[in-house]
Amino acid sequence: FSIDFVARFEQDTVSPPATFGTKFYQMLPKPFHEHDIFGRDKFQQHMATYDDYQAFMRVRKNKVYGLDLVVGAIRLELERLGVADNTVIVFSSDHGYYSGEHGLNGKWWMHEESVRTPMIVYDPRLPAATAGRKLDPMVLNIDIAPTILDYAGIESPAVMQGQSMKPFVDGLQVDDWRNEFFYEQHFDLSTTKSKLYIPPVEGVVGRQYKYMNYFQDDAEELYDMTMDPSEVDNLVDDPDHQQTLADMRDRFHELKRSTQ
């Protein structure tokens, strides 16, 4: 089968995000100001003006639309093959994307725009009442492989760090599930011809607090996600949050050791 793709969004406009632009970039820690940053350079190239931003977002919307067409074509092919009613579909992505938030364009770091990904699990065999639910558990891309094995009736090997999401999809109660995860990004642009820099970062994402450690640049970020979901108020130097900072640092080192 083939798909004829036609751009559809030439007249659309998108409101910039609340943390868009230079003001919020200046709030980021020192590695973002001591180097020529890849994500900042991409922002200046593609989003520096309102018209640039609109043009960029129209391209993004067209890409999402094209992906929708392809997923739809796959589902039609499953129906043609007669297996649509017995095929589980897992839809996700490898990363999120800054679209001007914090004055950045791209991915890499631990803010919500970058670290969050879509995760949709569709099982046509389940009752209609289970469809369309938005579930709260903190699932990760490492959970996809154990989930697929679970659907296939195969036990996950012990070396896998993830857990099967199937019980959640089936509507079951799951008591032993994570409330935090360890994050790392060590991409090194110096292996390319680029003269730009991507500050390496590690950290912990929890239910309430998020801690980021830019270990090569001696910088940190700490956010209260319940009070500050846009991650604007870095609490590292806040006297009222020094114990929380110490606790998150300790947990960071524990998780880093546990993941080797």
Side-chain angles (χ1 to χ4, degrees), residues 22-94:
T22 302
K23 171 185 174 181
F24 295 95
Y25 184 83
Q26 295 302 323
M27 297 180 181
L28 295 175
K30 67 178 185 179
F32 290 90
H33 307 288
E34 294 182 350
H35 307 276
D36 293 327
I37 299 297
F38 186 73
R40 178 60 173 168
D41 185 75
K42 287 187 67 179
F43 175 85
Q44 292 170 332
Q45 285 188 47
H46 303 295
M47 298 182 178
T49 70
Y50 179 82
D51 288 343
D52 287 342
Y53 177 74
Q54 297 304 328
F56 182 88
M57 294 307 294
R58 290 179 189 125
V59 171
R60 301 300 298 180
K61 291 178 77 171
N62 272 307
K63 289 180 177 180
V64 172
Y65 171 66
L67 183 60
D68 286 347
L69 291 178
V70 172
V71 172
I74 292 172
R75 294 191 63 187
L76 288 173
E77 182 67 4
L78 292 172
E79 292 178 4
R80 187 188 72 80
L81 295 171
V83 296
D85 293 338
N86 194 38
T87 300
V88 176
I89 299 175
V90 180
F91 179 95
S92 189
S93 174
D94 58 338

Side-chain angles (χ1 to χ4, degrees), residues 13 44-45 61 73 101 116 150 162 188 214:
T13 59
Q44 292 170 332
Q45 285 188 47
K61 291 178 77 171
E101 295 89 352
R116 282 189 174 268
D150 194 3
D188 184 4
Y214 298 88

Side-chain angles (χ1 to χ4, degrees), residues 5-260:
F5 175 74
V6 180
R8 297 171 58 91
F9 304 102
E10 290 87 349
Q11 304 304 316
D12 283 25
T13 59
V14 178
S15 297
T19 58
F20 183 88
T22 302
K23 171 185 174 181
F24 295 95
Y25 184 83
Q26 295 302 323
M27 297 180 181
L28 295 175
K30 67 178 185 179
F32 290 90
H33 307 288
E34 294 182 350
H35 307 276
D36 293 327
I37 299 297
F38 186 73
R40 178 60 173 168
D41 185 75
K42 287 187 67 179
F43 175 85
Q44 292 170 332
Q45 285 188 47
H46 303 295
M47 298 182 178
T49 70
Y50 179 82
D51 288 343
D52 287 342
Y53 177 74
Q54 297 304 328
F56 182 88
M57 294 307 294
R58 290 179 189 125
V59 171
R60 301 300 298 180
K61 291 178 77 171
N62 272 307
K63 289 180 177 180
V64 172
Y65 171 66
L67 183 60
D68 286 347
L69 291 178
V70 172
V71 172
I74 292 172
R75 294 191 63 187
L76 288 173
E77 182 67 4
L78 292 172
E79 292 178 4
R80 187 188 72 80
L81 295 171
V83 296
D85 293 338
N86 194 38
T87 300
V88 176
I89 299 175
V90 180
F91 179 95
S92 189
S93 174
D94 58 338
H95 56 78
Y97 204 90
Y98 295 95
S99 296
E101 295 89 352
H102 307 282
L104 295 169
N105 177 5
K107 47 197 175 187
W108 314 112
W109 301 290
M110 286 182 63
H111 304 108
E112 289 294 278
E113 295 81 18
S114 176
V115 77
R116 282 189 174 268
T117 64
M119 181 69 77
I120 301 172
V121 181
Y122 168 68
D123 186 345
R125 303 166 301 178
L126 292 177
T130 66
R133 291 171 297 145
K134 184 177 180 180
L135 305 180
D136 188 53
M138 184 180 282
V139 300
L140 304 173
N141 54 10
I142 59 174
D143 298 324
I144 295 176
T147 300
I148 293 172
L149 291 176
D150 194 3
Y151 274 109
I154 301 171
E155 184 176 352
S156 297
V159 294
M160 281 191 174
Q161 295 176 337
Q163 300 169 259
S164 173
M165 296 176 282
K166 185 176 183 297
F168 292 120
V169 181
D170 292 343
L172 302 177
Q173 179 69 33
V174 180
D175 297 322
D176 182 22
W177 196 261
R178 72 177 69 85
N179 287 305
E180 60 186 2
F181 64 89
F182 177 77
Y183 179 96
E184 62 179 3
Q185 176 275 115
H186 296 168
F187 191 82
D188 184 4
L189 265 184
S190 66
T191 61
T192 72
K193 295 181 180 179
S194 176
K195 296 181 181 179
L196 301 172
Y197 180 58
I198 297 175
V201 62
E202 299 173 339
V204 180
V205 180
R207 282 289 186 180
Q208 180 174 1
Y209 291 101
K210 181 187 292 187
Y211 170 75
M212 312 179 197
N213 186 305
Y214 298 88
F215 53 91
Q216 287 189 358
D217 295 276
D218 190 28
E220 299 169 296
E221 291 181 82
L222 175 69
Y223 296 105
D224 183 340
M225 302 301 297
T226 58
M227 301 299 295
D228 180 27
S230 295
E231 299 166 293
V232 172
D233 186 14
N234 186 0
L235 301 172
V236 165
D237 295 323
D238 187 329
D240 294 334
H241 287 84
Q242 292 309 295
Q243 185 58 56
T244 299
L245 176 61
D247 292 342
M248 292 298 287
R249 283 172 175 164
D250 289 344
R251 189 60 183 144
F252 162 69
H253 290 297
E254 290 174 6
L255 289 174
K256 185 172 182 177
R257 284 192 297 268
S258 72
T259 57
Q260 301 178 357

